[in-house]
Amino acid sequence: MGARVDGFAQAVVGVVQEHAPGFDAASVEMRLSAKGNYLALTCTFRAVSQAQVDALYRALTAHPMVKVVL
């Protein structure tokens, strides 16, 4: 989840694609917050290891546009 700004979804998809090469960007689900200030993205991918998931989590939480990662 992050602020609803230009480039947010593309930035998140780029990070996910770096860590999950088979990720299909067309499968991303997007939801706006009640007031429309934030955008939540659901990115579903098939993980091959816990290390892959951990690396993706660290990359997303370190990204300046990302506020929350679940």
Side-chain angles (χ1 to χ4, degrees):
M1 178 180 273
R4 183 180 171 201
V5 296
D6 290 340
F8 173 68
Q10 293 83 359
V12 170
V13 166
V15 172
V16 175
Q17 287 176 326
E18 286 179 26
H19 294 276
F23 175 68
D24 179 14
S27 69
V28 175
E29 297 175 32
M30 298 184 199
R31 288 177 312 286
L32 285 176
S33 65
K35 294 183 181 179
N37 296 325
Y38 294 93
L39 180 62
L41 303 177
T42 300
C43 299
T44 304
F45 68 99
R46 184 171 304 275
V48 295
S49 69
Q50 185 63 48
Q52 177 193 26
V53 175
D54 293 343
L56 175 56
Y57 181 83
R58 283 191 302 273
L60 286 171
T61 57
H63 196 284
M65 296 176 85
V66 175
K67 303 293 183 199
V68 177
V69 179
L70 299 175

